[in-house]
Amino acid sequence: MKLLTTKHGINGELTIPADKSISHRSIMFGAISQGQTIVNNFLKAEDCLSTIAVFRQLGVTITEKNEKIYIDGKGFSGLTAPATRLDAGNSGTTMRLVLGILAGSDFTSEIAGDASLNRRPMERVMKPLREMGAELQGIEHAEFPPLRVSGHTLHEIEYQMPIASAQVKSAILFAALQAKGTTKIIEKEKSRNHTEEMIKQFGGQIDIEGRVITLKGGQTLSGQEVTVPGDISSAAFYLVAASILPNSEVILKQVGINPTRTGIIDVLKQMGATIEQIHEDEKNQAADLIVRSATLNACEIKGEIIPQLIDELPVIALAATQANGTTIIKDAQELKVKETNRIDATAAELTKMGASIEATDDGLIIHGPTPLHGAKVDSHGDHRIGMMLQIAALLTEEPVELENPEAVNISYPAFFQDLAQLIKEEQA
Ligand code: S3P
């Protein structure tokens, strides 16, 4: 596919599509609660549709009417054995969180994903869930999907997390809700806290003190009405695009600003970006963001901020190709086990376009600024790499051809149309 270009920057206003992490969890919490859950502004992208399909396979009735999703909650014990293997598609969040739910079930089930997900590490979730009493095994390979899960009566654990991962933390929390006793999780670094927030929202009790989370088992949650804010990980592409393209000003509406997710705003501001936050909606933790062209400078990105911008690092690396000086990204080895190896994919594809970027063992080193030029690039089947490359293409004079562009449907099906709108508005 030939990517969009612009000679005049990007301008206009855009409502950012719903948050993927919260959309997944709205279905999961709806299913394991008692009574009905209604979800407003659910993200209808492939990953979240995988979550709906999995819970339908587990016997949950999920319907859509007037742009709202209705879930008839059955409680953990109301889930039923699936007739066929569960299919998580490309979605790591679906697979890992569902494992935590299945760990306490009274049946045996199997779960698999697409070729990418079947290569992603699952030992990180299987280990704590086994410690809690569940039986989990790889069917073809010890650590990779497809997996077989036999649920059991679970007991509490105290778990010191070896990696900063909201997916692992969430799987343990779902298991802990079903367990006897009180579970304690000590996070390595603070990762996104949507699961903790939703336990509270659905009427549960959870204690959080710094990196220590305590949750009593045997709690019954009750269905709620949830409104999903826009996804800051989708807004990220425009935050970078408007910053690095001259003559740009974009208003991004209803973006989720949960502080465990806003690392990209902090880093871009540190680099010199102009980002303003207006119309804050405290209840839904959302705001409108205004971003304008700016001169960016290099910076060092490492340590505890990494989990708060993990999915944004490819597009932050692109921003760094346009910044003055050398940007160093460290402590981001988790990028190697995302939908693709995002360290290698980012370095390889931006190099094809003329960037000066090196992959390291735990991150990237980017020397800027460098002009980018036309090339034939590949999303590697990874939505965030595909969208990052489209933003890079806005900077080139020659055409850029993207292989596997359909990957964007995983989190943002209308991405190319929305971006075209911001280009058209300027040229009109
Ligand atoms: C997610 C957590 C992150 C993130 C992923 C979504 C979530 O993964 O990369 O896109 O919804 O919990 P890890 O928790 O494995 O870092």
Side-chain angles (χ1 to χ4, degrees), residues 19-22 24-25 93 96-97 120 124 163-170 191-192 194-195 233 261 307 310-311 334 338-339 342 383-384:
D19 189 277
K20 183 157 82 70
S21 292
I22 300 175
H24 282 301
R25 286 161 172 80
T93 306
R96 294 195 177 113
L97 273 58
R120 294 180 66 188
R124 51 180 61 199
I163 44 173
S165 164
Q167 293 182 351
V168 176
K169 171 178 65 177
S170 301
S191 61
R192 67 191 66 191
H194 304 302
T195 304
S233 298
R261 296 285 299 281
I310 188 75
D311 291 338
E334 275 298 301
K338 295 294 176 190
E339 285 81 333
R342 287 184 177 161
H383 52 133
R384 301 206 194 279

PDB file of all heavy atoms in Angstrom, residues 19-22 24-25 93 96-97 120 124 163-170 191-192 194-195 233 261 307 310-311 334 338-339 342 383-384, ligand 1:
ATOM      1  N   ASP A  19      -9.775   2.986  24.219  1.00  0.00           N
ATOM      2  CA  ASP A  19      -8.599   2.324  24.781  1.00  0.00           C
ATOM      3  C   ASP A  19      -8.735   0.799  24.667  1.00  0.00           C
ATOM      4  O   ASP A  19      -9.742   0.212  25.064  1.00  0.00           O
ATOM      5  CB  ASP A  19      -8.485   2.728  26.257  1.00  0.00           C
ATOM      6  CG  ASP A  19      -7.192   2.262  26.864  1.00  0.00           C
ATOM      7  OD1 ASP A  19      -7.106   1.085  27.277  1.00  0.00           O
ATOM      8  OD2 ASP A  19      -6.254   3.071  26.915  1.00  0.00           O
ATOM      9  N   LYS A  20      -7.675   0.198  24.149  1.00  0.00           N
ATOM     10  CA  LYS A  20      -7.680  -1.259  23.929  1.00  0.00           C
ATOM     11  C   LYS A  20      -7.614  -2.009  25.260  1.00  0.00           C
ATOM     12  O   LYS A  20      -8.374  -2.944  25.489  1.00  0.00           O
ATOM     13  CB  LYS A  20      -6.485  -1.614  23.035  1.00  0.00           C
ATOM     14  CG  LYS A  20      -6.387  -3.070  22.650  1.00  0.00           C
ATOM     15  CD  LYS A  20      -5.578  -3.255  21.387  1.00  0.00           C
ATOM     16  CE  LYS A  20      -4.084  -3.265  21.607  1.00  0.00           C
ATOM     17  NZ  LYS A  20      -3.599  -4.472  22.308  1.00  0.00           N
ATOM     18  N   SER A  21      -6.715  -1.593  26.152  1.00  0.00           N
ATOM     19  CA  SER A  21      -6.566  -2.298  27.434  1.00  0.00           C
ATOM     20  C   SER A  21      -7.868  -2.271  28.234  1.00  0.00           C
ATOM     21  O   SER A  21      -8.270  -3.275  28.826  1.00  0.00           O
ATOM     22  CB  SER A  21      -5.476  -1.618  28.273  1.00  0.00           C
ATOM     23  OG  SER A  21      -4.219  -1.809  27.688  1.00  0.00           O
ATOM     24  N   ILE A  22      -8.534  -1.106  28.251  1.00  0.00           N
ATOM     25  CA  ILE A  22      -9.767  -0.980  29.048  1.00  0.00           C
ATOM     26  C   ILE A  22     -10.918  -1.725  28.365  1.00  0.00           C
ATOM     27  O   ILE A  22     -11.755  -2.346  29.021  1.00  0.00           O
ATOM     28  CB  ILE A  22     -10.099   0.511  29.300  1.00  0.00           C
ATOM     29  CG1 ILE A  22      -8.943   1.176  30.073  1.00  0.00           C
ATOM     30  CG2 ILE A  22     -11.415   0.669  30.060  1.00  0.00           C
ATOM     31  CD1 ILE A  22      -9.085   2.682  30.277  1.00  0.00           C
ATOM     32  N   HIS A  24     -10.721  -4.510  26.532  1.00  0.00           N
ATOM     33  CA  HIS A  24     -10.574  -5.943  26.880  1.00  0.00           C
ATOM     34  C   HIS A  24     -11.135  -6.208  28.273  1.00  0.00           C
ATOM     35  O   HIS A  24     -11.905  -7.131  28.493  1.00  0.00           O
ATOM     36  CB  HIS A  24      -9.082  -6.308  26.980  1.00  0.00           C
ATOM     37  CG  HIS A  24      -8.382  -6.518  25.679  1.00  0.00           C
ATOM     38  ND1 HIS A  24      -8.779  -7.459  24.768  1.00  0.00           N
ATOM     39  CD2 HIS A  24      -7.248  -5.947  25.176  1.00  0.00           C
ATOM     40  CE1 HIS A  24      -7.926  -7.442  23.743  1.00  0.00           C
ATOM     41  NE2 HIS A  24      -6.995  -6.534  23.963  1.00  0.00           N
ATOM     42  N   ARG A  25     -10.683  -5.387  29.214  1.00  0.00           N
ATOM     43  CA  ARG A  25     -11.039  -5.627  30.617  1.00  0.00           C
ATOM     44  C   ARG A  25     -12.531  -5.410  30.864  1.00  0.00           C
ATOM     45  O   ARG A  25     -13.106  -6.028  31.761  1.00  0.00           O
ATOM     46  CB  ARG A  25     -10.195  -4.717  31.526  1.00  0.00           C
ATOM     47  CG  ARG A  25      -8.727  -5.190  31.625  1.00  0.00           C
ATOM     48  CD  ARG A  25      -7.839  -4.077  32.115  1.00  0.00           C
ATOM     49  NE  ARG A  25      -6.464  -4.462  32.412  1.00  0.00           N
ATOM     50  CZ  ARG A  25      -5.483  -4.617  31.503  1.00  0.00           C
ATOM     51  NH1 ARG A  25      -5.744  -4.429  30.215  1.00  0.00           N
ATOM     52  NH2 ARG A  25      -4.260  -4.950  31.877  1.00  0.00           N
ATOM     53  N   THR A  93      -2.918  -9.678  25.456  1.00  0.00           N
ATOM     54  CA  THR A  93      -3.730  -9.309  26.622  1.00  0.00           C
ATOM     55  C   THR A  93      -4.858 -10.321  26.813  1.00  0.00           C
ATOM     56  O   THR A  93      -5.112 -10.782  27.932  1.00  0.00           O
ATOM     57  CB  THR A  93      -4.314  -7.890  26.445  1.00  0.00           C
ATOM     58  OG1 THR A  93      -3.238  -6.991  26.157  1.00  0.00           O
ATOM     59  CG2 THR A  93      -5.020  -7.427  27.693  1.00  0.00           C
ATOM     60  N   ARG A  96      -3.251 -13.789  28.089  1.00  0.00           N
ATOM     61  CA  ARG A  96      -2.662 -13.820  29.431  1.00  0.00           C
ATOM     62  C   ARG A  96      -3.712 -13.563  30.510  1.00  0.00           C
ATOM     63  O   ARG A  96      -3.714 -14.226  31.545  1.00  0.00           O
ATOM     64  CB  ARG A  96      -1.504 -12.830  29.505  1.00  0.00           C
ATOM     65  CG  ARG A  96      -0.356 -13.261  28.580  1.00  0.00           C
ATOM     66  CD  ARG A  96       0.923 -12.535  28.875  1.00  0.00           C
ATOM     67  NE  ARG A  96       2.014 -13.000  28.046  1.00  0.00           N
ATOM     68  CZ  ARG A  96       2.637 -12.274  27.095  1.00  0.00           C
ATOM     69  NH1 ARG A  96       2.266 -11.033  26.875  1.00  0.00           N
ATOM     70  NH2 ARG A  96       3.628 -12.796  26.402  1.00  0.00           N
ATOM     71  N   LEU A  97      -4.605 -12.625  30.289  1.00  0.00           N
ATOM     72  CA  LEU A  97      -5.608 -12.334  31.316  1.00  0.00           C
ATOM     73  C   LEU A  97      -6.616 -13.474  31.438  1.00  0.00           C
ATOM     74  O   LEU A  97      -7.027 -13.840  32.543  1.00  0.00           O
ATOM     75  CB  LEU A  97      -6.306 -10.990  31.031  1.00  0.00           C
ATOM     76  CG  LEU A  97      -5.586  -9.757  31.597  1.00  0.00           C
ATOM     77  CD1 LEU A  97      -4.166  -9.612  31.090  1.00  0.00           C
ATOM     78  CD2 LEU A  97      -6.374  -8.491  31.346  1.00  0.00           C
ATOM     79  N   ARG A 120       4.930 -16.083  21.515  1.00  0.00           N
ATOM     80  CA  ARG A 120       5.190 -15.161  22.639  1.00  0.00           C
ATOM     81  C   ARG A 120       5.251 -15.916  23.970  1.00  0.00           C
ATOM     82  O   ARG A 120       4.523 -16.879  24.179  1.00  0.00           O
ATOM     83  CB  ARG A 120       4.130 -14.045  22.649  1.00  0.00           C
ATOM     84  CG  ARG A 120       4.276 -13.179  21.399  1.00  0.00           C
ATOM     85  CD  ARG A 120       3.278 -12.069  21.343  1.00  0.00           C
ATOM     86  NE  ARG A 120       3.485 -11.099  22.399  1.00  0.00           N
ATOM     87  CZ  ARG A 120       2.632 -10.102  22.653  1.00  0.00           C
ATOM     88  NH1 ARG A 120       1.538  -9.967  21.927  1.00  0.00           N
ATOM     89  NH2 ARG A 120       2.892  -9.248  23.606  1.00  0.00           N
ATOM     90  N   ARG A 124       5.867 -16.681  31.988  1.00  0.00           N
ATOM     91  CA  ARG A 124       5.709 -15.567  32.938  1.00  0.00           C
ATOM     92  C   ARG A 124       4.347 -15.569  33.636  1.00  0.00           C
ATOM     93  O   ARG A 124       4.213 -15.067  34.739  1.00  0.00           O
ATOM     94  CB  ARG A 124       5.923 -14.245  32.188  1.00  0.00           C
ATOM     95  CG  ARG A 124       5.085 -14.158  30.940  1.00  0.00           C
ATOM     96  CD  ARG A 124       5.264 -12.866  30.156  1.00  0.00           C
ATOM     97  NE  ARG A 124       6.614 -12.649  29.681  1.00  0.00           N
ATOM     98  CZ  ARG A 124       7.087 -11.462  29.301  1.00  0.00           C
ATOM     99  NH1 ARG A 124       6.310 -10.398  29.366  1.00  0.00           N
ATOM    100  NH2 ARG A 124       8.304 -11.330  28.871  1.00  0.00           N
ATOM    101  N   ILE A 163       9.384  -9.236  36.179  1.00  0.00           N
ATOM    102  CA  ILE A 163       9.334  -8.252  35.089  1.00  0.00           C
ATOM    103  C   ILE A 163       8.178  -7.280  35.360  1.00  0.00           C
ATOM    104  O   ILE A 163       7.228  -7.638  36.050  1.00  0.00           O
ATOM    105  CB  ILE A 163       9.105  -8.916  33.695  1.00  0.00           C
ATOM    106  CG1 ILE A 163       8.011  -9.978  33.792  1.00  0.00           C
ATOM    107  CG2 ILE A 163      10.369  -9.472  33.098  1.00  0.00           C
ATOM    108  CD1 ILE A 163       7.615 -10.560  32.458  1.00  0.00           C
ATOM    109  N   ALA A 164       8.288  -6.091  34.776  1.00  0.00           N
ATOM    110  CA  ALA A 164       7.185  -5.133  34.908  1.00  0.00           C
ATOM    111  C   ALA A 164       6.187  -5.459  33.809  1.00  0.00           C
ATOM    112  O   ALA A 164       6.449  -5.205  32.642  1.00  0.00           O
ATOM    113  CB  ALA A 164       7.701  -3.707  34.751  1.00  0.00           C
ATOM    114  N   SER A 165       5.063  -6.066  34.159  1.00  0.00           N
ATOM    115  CA  SER A 165       4.079  -6.427  33.145  1.00  0.00           C
ATOM    116  C   SER A 165       2.671  -6.355  33.705  1.00  0.00           C
ATOM    117  O   SER A 165       2.318  -7.069  34.647  1.00  0.00           O
ATOM    118  CB  SER A 165       4.351  -7.847  32.627  1.00  0.00           C
ATOM    119  OG  SER A 165       3.210  -8.328  31.934  1.00  0.00           O
ATOM    120  N   ALA A 166       1.856  -5.484  33.107  1.00  0.00           N
ATOM    121  CA  ALA A 166       0.458  -5.371  33.537  1.00  0.00           C
ATOM    122  C   ALA A 166      -0.313  -6.637  33.175  1.00  0.00           C
ATOM    123  O   ALA A 166      -1.288  -6.992  33.846  1.00  0.00           O
ATOM    124  CB  ALA A 166      -0.189  -4.165  32.877  1.00  0.00           C
ATOM    125  N   GLN A 167       0.119  -7.311  32.122  1.00  0.00           N
ATOM    126  CA  GLN A 167      -0.601  -8.521  31.727  1.00  0.00           C
ATOM    127  C   GLN A 167      -0.397  -9.619  32.758  1.00  0.00           C
ATOM    128  O   GLN A 167      -1.347 -10.299  33.153  1.00  0.00           O
ATOM    129  CB  GLN A 167      -0.130  -8.982  30.343  1.00  0.00           C
ATOM    130  CG  GLN A 167      -0.534  -7.992  29.253  1.00  0.00           C
ATOM    131  CD  GLN A 167      -0.136  -8.433  27.870  1.00  0.00           C
ATOM    132  OE1 GLN A 167       0.590  -9.406  27.691  1.00  0.00           O
ATOM    133  NE2 GLN A 167      -0.596  -7.710  26.862  1.00  0.00           N
ATOM    134  N   VAL A 168       0.834  -9.788  33.219  1.00  0.00           N
ATOM    135  CA  VAL A 168       1.109 -10.814  34.226  1.00  0.00           C
ATOM    136  C   VAL A 168       0.410 -10.439  35.532  1.00  0.00           C
ATOM    137  O   VAL A 168      -0.269 -11.265  36.159  1.00  0.00           O
ATOM    138  CB  VAL A 168       2.635 -10.985  34.427  1.00  0.00           C
ATOM    139  CG1 VAL A 168       2.916 -11.978  35.544  1.00  0.00           C
ATOM    140  CG2 VAL A 168       3.302 -11.420  33.126  1.00  0.00           C
ATOM    141  N   LYS A 169       0.560  -9.197  35.940  1.00  0.00           N
ATOM    142  CA  LYS A 169      -0.082  -8.722  37.169  1.00  0.00           C
ATOM    143  C   LYS A 169      -1.593  -8.976  37.109  1.00  0.00           C
ATOM    144  O   LYS A 169      -2.194  -9.467  38.061  1.00  0.00           O
ATOM    145  CB  LYS A 169       0.197  -7.221  37.326  1.00  0.00           C
ATOM    146  CG  LYS A 169      -0.575  -6.538  38.414  1.00  0.00           C
ATOM    147  CD  LYS A 169      -0.210  -5.061  38.555  1.00  0.00           C
ATOM    148  CE  LYS A 169      -0.570  -4.217  37.344  1.00  0.00           C
ATOM    149  NZ  LYS A 169      -0.267  -2.786  37.545  1.00  0.00           N
ATOM    150  N   SER A 170      -2.199  -8.673  35.966  1.00  0.00           N
ATOM    151  CA  SER A 170      -3.650  -8.808  35.834  1.00  0.00           C
ATOM    152  C   SER A 170      -4.079 -10.270  35.887  1.00  0.00           C
ATOM    153  O   SER A 170      -5.115 -10.601  36.480  1.00  0.00           O
ATOM    154  CB  SER A 170      -4.117  -8.178  34.523  1.00  0.00           C
ATOM    155  OG  SER A 170      -3.755  -6.821  34.493  1.00  0.00           O
ATOM    156  N   SER A 191       3.233  -0.715  36.548  1.00  0.00           N
ATOM    157  CA  SER A 191       2.733  -0.838  35.178  1.00  0.00           C
ATOM    158  C   SER A 191       1.274  -0.367  35.158  1.00  0.00           C
ATOM    159  O   SER A 191       0.701  -0.069  36.215  1.00  0.00           O
ATOM    160  CB  SER A 191       2.827  -2.290  34.709  1.00  0.00           C
ATOM    161  OG  SER A 191       2.046  -3.117  35.536  1.00  0.00           O
ATOM    162  N   ARG A 192       0.672  -0.334  33.974  1.00  0.00           N
ATOM    163  CA  ARG A 192      -0.695   0.209  33.867  1.00  0.00           C
ATOM    164  C   ARG A 192      -1.619  -0.470  34.887  1.00  0.00           C
ATOM    165  O   ARG A 192      -1.524  -1.679  35.102  1.00  0.00           O
ATOM    166  CB  ARG A 192      -1.221   0.097  32.437  1.00  0.00           C
ATOM    167  CG  ARG A 192      -1.447  -1.303  31.939  1.00  0.00           C
ATOM    168  CD  ARG A 192      -1.704  -1.324  30.440  1.00  0.00           C
ATOM    169  NE  ARG A 192      -0.511  -0.909  29.713  1.00  0.00           N
ATOM    170  CZ  ARG A 192      -0.479  -0.629  28.417  1.00  0.00           C
ATOM    171  NH1 ARG A 192      -1.582  -0.690  27.704  1.00  0.00           N
ATOM    172  NH2 ARG A 192       0.638  -0.281  27.828  1.00  0.00           N
ATOM    173  N   HIS A 194      -5.123  -0.576  35.070  1.00  0.00           N
ATOM    174  CA  HIS A 194      -6.548  -0.642  34.719  1.00  0.00           C
ATOM    175  C   HIS A 194      -7.274  -1.781  35.436  1.00  0.00           C
ATOM    176  O   HIS A 194      -8.449  -1.640  35.790  1.00  0.00           O
ATOM    177  CB  HIS A 194      -6.719  -0.804  33.210  1.00  0.00           C
ATOM    178  CG  HIS A 194      -6.049   0.271  32.414  1.00  0.00           C
ATOM    179  ND1 HIS A 194      -6.343   1.600  32.579  1.00  0.00           N
ATOM    180  CD2 HIS A 194      -5.079   0.221  31.470  1.00  0.00           C
ATOM    181  CE1 HIS A 194      -5.593   2.321  31.753  1.00  0.00           C
ATOM    182  NE2 HIS A 194      -4.814   1.498  31.075  1.00  0.00           N
ATOM    183  N   THR A 195      -6.586  -2.897  35.647  1.00  0.00           N
ATOM    184  CA  THR A 195      -7.258  -4.023  36.328  1.00  0.00           C
ATOM    185  C   THR A 195      -7.590  -3.634  37.769  1.00  0.00           C
ATOM    186  O   THR A 195      -8.721  -3.850  38.236  1.00  0.00           O
ATOM    187  CB  THR A 195      -6.364  -5.272  36.283  1.00  0.00           C
ATOM    188  OG1 THR A 195      -6.052  -5.536  34.921  1.00  0.00           O
ATOM    189  CG2 THR A 195      -7.064  -6.491  36.879  1.00  0.00           C
ATOM    190  N   SER A 233      -2.330   5.318  23.481  1.00  0.00           N
ATOM    191  CA  SER A 233      -1.390   4.623  22.593  1.00  0.00           C
ATOM    192  C   SER A 233      -1.736   4.874  21.117  1.00  0.00           C
ATOM    193  O   SER A 233      -0.866   4.814  20.253  1.00  0.00           O
ATOM    194  CB  SER A 233      -1.394   3.117  22.883  1.00  0.00           C
ATOM    195  OG  SER A 233      -0.976   2.892  24.211  1.00  0.00           O
ATOM    196  N   ARG A 261      -0.122   5.638  32.145  1.00  0.00           N
ATOM    197  CA  ARG A 261      -0.052   5.517  30.682  1.00  0.00           C
ATOM    198  C   ARG A 261       0.538   6.747  29.995  1.00  0.00           C
ATOM    199  O   ARG A 261       0.687   6.754  28.764  1.00  0.00           O
ATOM    200  CB  ARG A 261      -1.478   5.288  30.125  1.00  0.00           C
ATOM    201  CG  ARG A 261      -2.139   3.995  30.571  1.00  0.00           C
ATOM    202  CD  ARG A 261      -1.574   2.783  29.860  1.00  0.00           C
ATOM    203  NE  ARG A 261      -1.760   2.850  28.421  1.00  0.00           N
ATOM    204  CZ  ARG A 261      -2.906   2.573  27.787  1.00  0.00           C
ATOM    205  NH1 ARG A 261      -3.957   2.188  28.465  1.00  0.00           N
ATOM    206  NH2 ARG A 261      -2.988   2.657  26.468  1.00  0.00           N
ATOM    207  N   PRO A 307       7.673   1.090  31.518  1.00  0.00           N
ATOM    208  CA  PRO A 307       6.353   0.434  31.421  1.00  0.00           C
ATOM    209  C   PRO A 307       5.221   1.430  31.129  1.00  0.00           C
ATOM    210  O   PRO A 307       4.152   1.031  30.681  1.00  0.00           O
ATOM    211  CB  PRO A 307       6.143  -0.194  32.808  1.00  0.00           C
ATOM    212  CG  PRO A 307       7.474  -0.191  33.463  1.00  0.00           C
ATOM    213  CD  PRO A 307       8.300   0.887  32.836  1.00  0.00           C
ATOM    214  N   ILE A 310       5.588   1.796  27.129  1.00  0.00           N
ATOM    215  CA  ILE A 310       6.182   0.646  26.426  1.00  0.00           C
ATOM    216  C   ILE A 310       5.670   0.526  24.978  1.00  0.00           C
ATOM    217  O   ILE A 310       6.450   0.306  24.056  1.00  0.00           O
ATOM    218  CB  ILE A 310       5.983  -0.668  27.237  1.00  0.00           C
ATOM    219  CG1 ILE A 310       6.754  -1.830  26.626  1.00  0.00           C
ATOM    220  CG2 ILE A 310       4.516  -1.029  27.423  1.00  0.00           C
ATOM    221  CD1 ILE A 310       8.218  -1.810  26.861  1.00  0.00           C
ATOM    222  N   ASP A 311       4.357   0.715  24.778  1.00  0.00           N
ATOM    223  CA  ASP A 311       3.807   0.533  23.424  1.00  0.00           C
ATOM    224  C   ASP A 311       4.108   1.718  22.509  1.00  0.00           C
ATOM    225  O   ASP A 311       3.937   1.636  21.293  1.00  0.00           O
ATOM    226  CB  ASP A 311       2.290   0.315  23.501  1.00  0.00           C
ATOM    227  CG  ASP A 311       1.947  -1.024  24.141  1.00  0.00           C
ATOM    228  OD1 ASP A 311       2.806  -1.930  24.130  1.00  0.00           O
ATOM    229  OD2 ASP A 311       0.824  -1.163  24.653  1.00  0.00           O
ATOM    230  N   GLU A 334      11.630  -5.733  26.980  1.00  0.00           N
ATOM    231  CA  GLU A 334      10.287  -6.294  26.763  1.00  0.00           C
ATOM    232  C   GLU A 334       9.795  -6.086  25.323  1.00  0.00           C
ATOM    233  O   GLU A 334       8.948  -6.820  24.829  1.00  0.00           O
ATOM    234  CB  GLU A 334       9.289  -5.653  27.736  1.00  0.00           C
ATOM    235  CG  GLU A 334       9.254  -6.326  29.089  1.00  0.00           C
ATOM    236  CD  GLU A 334       8.807  -7.779  29.001  1.00  0.00           C
ATOM    237  OE1 GLU A 334       7.701  -8.030  28.515  1.00  0.00           O
ATOM    238  OE2 GLU A 334       9.578  -8.665  29.400  1.00  0.00           O
ATOM    239  N   LYS A 338       7.030  -8.433  22.006  1.00  0.00           N
ATOM    240  CA  LYS A 338       5.700  -7.896  21.663  1.00  0.00           C
ATOM    241  C   LYS A 338       5.220  -8.604  20.382  1.00  0.00           C
ATOM    242  O   LYS A 338       5.739  -9.645  20.026  1.00  0.00           O
ATOM    243  CB  LYS A 338       5.767  -6.381  21.503  1.00  0.00           C
ATOM    244  CG  LYS A 338       6.111  -5.650  22.807  1.00  0.00           C
ATOM    245  CD  LYS A 338       5.015  -5.807  23.848  1.00  0.00           C
ATOM    246  CE  LYS A 338       5.391  -5.162  25.169  1.00  0.00           C
ATOM    247  NZ  LYS A 338       4.449  -5.507  26.243  1.00  0.00           N
ATOM    248  N   GLU A 339       4.242  -8.019  19.679  1.00  0.00           N
ATOM    249  CA  GLU A 339       3.658  -8.671  18.509  1.00  0.00           C
ATOM    250  C   GLU A 339       4.743  -9.076  17.511  1.00  0.00           C
ATOM    251  O   GLU A 339       4.604 -10.040  16.757  1.00  0.00           O
ATOM    252  CB  GLU A 339       2.618  -7.758  17.855  1.00  0.00           C
ATOM    253  CG  GLU A 339       1.292  -7.654  18.619  1.00  0.00           C
ATOM    254  CD  GLU A 339       1.300  -6.683  19.800  1.00  0.00           C
ATOM    255  OE1 GLU A 339       2.377  -6.438  20.408  1.00  0.00           O
ATOM    256  OE2 GLU A 339       0.202  -6.171  20.120  1.00  0.00           O
ATOM    257  N   ARG A 342      10.079  -5.524  18.460  1.00  0.00           N
ATOM    258  CA  ARG A 342       9.919  -4.106  18.081  1.00  0.00           C
ATOM    259  C   ARG A 342      11.242  -3.341  18.100  1.00  0.00           C
ATOM    260  O   ARG A 342      11.319  -2.266  17.507  1.00  0.00           O
ATOM    261  CB  ARG A 342       8.870  -3.423  18.966  1.00  0.00           C
ATOM    262  CG  ARG A 342       7.461  -3.869  18.634  1.00  0.00           C
ATOM    263  CD  ARG A 342       6.414  -3.140  19.440  1.00  0.00           C
ATOM    264  NE  ARG A 342       5.082  -3.566  19.013  1.00  0.00           N
ATOM    265  CZ  ARG A 342       3.976  -3.408  19.735  1.00  0.00           C
ATOM    266  NH1 ARG A 342       4.040  -2.829  20.925  1.00  0.00           N
ATOM    267  NH2 ARG A 342       2.809  -3.812  19.277  1.00  0.00           N
ATOM    268  N   HIS A 383       0.750  -3.949  14.351  1.00  0.00           N
ATOM    269  CA  HIS A 383      -0.028  -2.709  14.178  1.00  0.00           C
ATOM    270  C   HIS A 383       0.775  -1.455  14.511  1.00  0.00           C
ATOM    271  O   HIS A 383       0.722  -0.471  13.775  1.00  0.00           O
ATOM    272  CB  HIS A 383      -1.316  -2.769  15.005  1.00  0.00           C
ATOM    273  CG  HIS A 383      -1.160  -3.105  16.457  1.00  0.00           C
ATOM    274  ND1 HIS A 383      -1.776  -2.410  17.452  1.00  0.00           N
ATOM    275  CD2 HIS A 383      -0.451  -4.075  17.096  1.00  0.00           C
ATOM    276  CE1 HIS A 383      -1.490  -2.939  18.623  1.00  0.00           C
ATOM    277  NE2 HIS A 383      -0.674  -3.962  18.432  1.00  0.00           N
ATOM    278  N   ARG A 384       1.518  -1.495  15.620  1.00  0.00           N
ATOM    279  CA  ARG A 384       2.192  -0.261  16.039  1.00  0.00           C
ATOM    280  C   ARG A 384       3.392   0.061  15.136  1.00  0.00           C
ATOM    281  O   ARG A 384       3.721   1.230  14.933  1.00  0.00           O
ATOM    282  CB  ARG A 384       2.591  -0.324  17.507  1.00  0.00           C
ATOM    283  CG  ARG A 384       1.387  -0.539  18.396  1.00  0.00           C
ATOM    284  CD  ARG A 384       1.541  -0.030  19.789  1.00  0.00           C
ATOM    285  NE  ARG A 384       0.471  -0.580  20.617  1.00  0.00           N
ATOM    286  CZ  ARG A 384      -0.777  -0.103  20.684  1.00  0.00           C
ATOM    287  NH1 ARG A 384      -1.123   0.963  19.988  1.00  0.00           N
ATOM    288  NH2 ARG A 384      -1.691  -0.681  21.449  1.00  0.00           N
TER     289      ARG A 384
HETATM  290  C1  S3P B   1      -1.160  -4.399  28.181  1.00  0.00           C
HETATM  291  C2  S3P B   1       0.049  -4.429  28.812  1.00  0.00           C
HETATM  292  C3  S3P B   1       1.352  -4.275  28.123  1.00  0.00           C
HETATM  293  C4  S3P B   1       1.169  -3.696  26.732  1.00  0.00           C
HETATM  294  C5  S3P B   1       0.043  -4.332  25.981  1.00  0.00           C
HETATM  295  C6  S3P B   1      -1.264  -4.162  26.724  1.00  0.00           C
HETATM  296  C7  S3P B   1      -2.388  -4.578  28.977  1.00  0.00           C
HETATM  297  O1  S3P B   1       1.964  -5.545  28.010  1.00  0.00           O
HETATM  298  O2  S3P B   1       2.351  -3.813  25.994  1.00  0.00           O
HETATM  299  O3  S3P B   1      -0.098  -3.744  24.697  1.00  0.00           O
HETATM  300  O4  S3P B   1      -3.492  -4.279  28.492  1.00  0.00           O
HETATM  301  O5  S3P B   1      -2.266  -5.030  30.131  1.00  0.00           O
HETATM  302  P1  S3P B   1       2.876  -6.139  29.219  1.00  0.00           P
HETATM  303  O6  S3P B   1       2.055  -6.081  30.411  1.00  0.00           O
HETATM  304  O7  S3P B   1       3.192  -7.548  28.849  1.00  0.00           O
HETATM  305  O8  S3P B   1       4.097  -5.271  29.246  1.00  0.00           O
END
